[in-house]
Amino acid sequence: MKNPNSIFEKKLSETYKLLVELEILKSDIQHLSNTEKEYFKIAVDKSKFLYRTYFNSVKILVLDIHKILNPEEHFSLKKTINFAKSNINKIEWNKQMTQTDLSQIEFQIDDLIERNLEKVKKLRNKQYAHLDKNKDKIEYDLRLIDVYETIEKSEIIYKKLLSHFKGSDVIFNKWREPPNEIISLYKYHKIRKLLLDKFLKNEWSDDFDQIWKILNEKLT
């Protein structure tokens, strides 16, 4: 049987992977839905593929935040904190934890659960993990901003646990710029429009032929 220290380390490791995945999904969703950006009008809004990507990213976001929030999930924050409370003297803390410290963290976790778990579960169970026969009649009140706030607060909780356990910190990357795939598609549409304008204005030259062929090349 593994010792409590190894089990706790595994729990924190899995939580970290989930939080990194959630940050990536959050970033993708924000970039794919930013209607104020020029790239959205030129590239995203015209792409059925990127619409599906947006929809599926939201779906996975809900499924993953459920893993963080639901106390029944093996690597949920609630199960991790309960394990830490039960094994506080068996875990090798870099900076000693007290039951009071853990109870304060548990309070923060319980607050997240109370605010959003039922909303997340409803959407997950009725639309994403399963498909309710009355799905079109069900109203959902989970907002993306609520999920984003839950991610940020979960990261704070994780950092606090990691600091006491390892004596270290971690930075969760924030992707300020859209993914390269969106940028490339944006550039493709701008170049194609430029070439079409040249053609319509009788300003075409042989130098454009190769570029046009590349833009319209079919993959085999």
Side-chain angles (χ1 to χ4, degrees):
M1 181 178 179
K2 291 184 178 180
N3 65 63
N5 203 69
S6 298
I7 296 173
F8 188 65
E9 186 168 17
K10 172 68 172 176
K11 286 179 176 293
L12 289 184
S13 175
E14 292 299 323
T15 300
Y16 175 73
K17 292 176 187 176
L18 274 172
L19 289 173
V20 169
E21 175 71 9
L22 284 165
E23 273 294 345
I24 294 172
L25 289 167
K26 182 179 79 171
S27 172
D28 288 347
I29 291 166
Q30 288 175 329
H31 289 306
L32 285 169
S33 60
N34 192 344
T35 59
E36 295 181 359
K37 293 292 185 178
E38 184 185 12
Y39 71 75
F40 180 89
K41 301 176 181 69
I42 291 178
V44 179
D45 198 34
K46 298 177 181 179
S47 172
K48 292 181 180 179
F49 170 76
L50 290 181
Y51 173 79
R52 293 195 302 272
T53 301
Y54 169 83
F55 179 81
N56 288 322
S57 294
V58 172
K59 181 191 298 185
I60 299 171
L61 185 83
V62 171
L63 295 175
D64 278 358
I65 204 68
H66 180 268
K67 297 173 187 176
I68 290 282
L69 286 181
N70 191 342
E72 300 303 315
E73 292 280 353
H74 190 70
F75 295 107
S76 68
L77 289 173
K78 183 69 173 180
K79 274 207 171 179
T80 297
I81 204 69
N82 285 343
F83 182 85
K85 291 181 73 175
S86 299
N87 295 274
I88 189 169
N89 294 322
K90 299 177 183 178
I91 294 173
E92 299 171 12
W93 301 101
N94 182 278
K95 178 184 175 184
Q96 186 58 45
M97 269 282 197
T98 66
Q99 289 290 355
T100 300
D101 294 330
L102 291 174
S103 293
Q104 289 175 348
I105 296 174
E106 184 178 28
F107 176 80
Q108 294 174 326
I109 294 170
D110 288 341
D111 182 61
L112 290 179
I113 292 172
E114 183 178 350
R115 286 172 180 269
N116 289 314
L117 177 58
E118 287 307 314
K119 298 176 185 178
V120 170
K121 285 176 67 174
K122 184 179 180 182
L123 185 54
R124 173 192 179 274
N125 294 340
K126 301 294 185 180
Q127 281 278 3
Y128 296 152
H130 312 285
L131 200 58
D132 194 279
K133 65 179 180 179
N134 297 314
K135 67 182 182 69
D136 295 330
K137 299 178 181 178
I138 299 172
E139 294 184 3
Y140 303 99
D141 56 355
L142 179 68
R143 302 176 303 166
L144 281 174
I145 192 171
D146 297 326
V147 179
Y148 298 159
E149 182 182 15
T150 301
I151 294 170
E152 292 171 6
K153 290 183 176 180
S154 296
E155 290 171 354
I156 292 171
I157 291 168
Y158 174 83
K159 287 183 175 186
K160 192 174 295 184
L161 288 172
L162 183 69
S163 176
H164 276 271
F165 183 56
K166 291 286 191 181
S168 57
D169 193 13
V170 65
I171 296 175
F172 291 96
N173 288 336
K174 311 291 182 181
W175 286 266
R176 306 299 182 190
E177 298 298 324
N180 289 334
E181 290 78 6
I182 291 179
I183 295 173
S184 296
L185 187 57
Y186 165 73
K187 291 178 179 178
Y188 160 82
H189 280 293
K190 292 206 73 172
I191 293 171
R192 196 171 190 278
K193 184 179 183 303
L194 176 64
L195 291 176
L196 284 170
D197 287 345
K198 291 290 184 182
F199 178 79
L200 292 173
K201 293 176 181 178
N202 292 320
E203 297 175 356
W204 191 268
S205 71
D206 292 341
D207 294 334
F208 296 144
D209 281 343
Q210 190 63 31
I211 300 174
W212 184 255
K213 288 178 182 178
I214 292 172
L215 290 177
N216 292 277
E217 183 178 14
K218 295 187 180 296
L219 299 179
T220 57

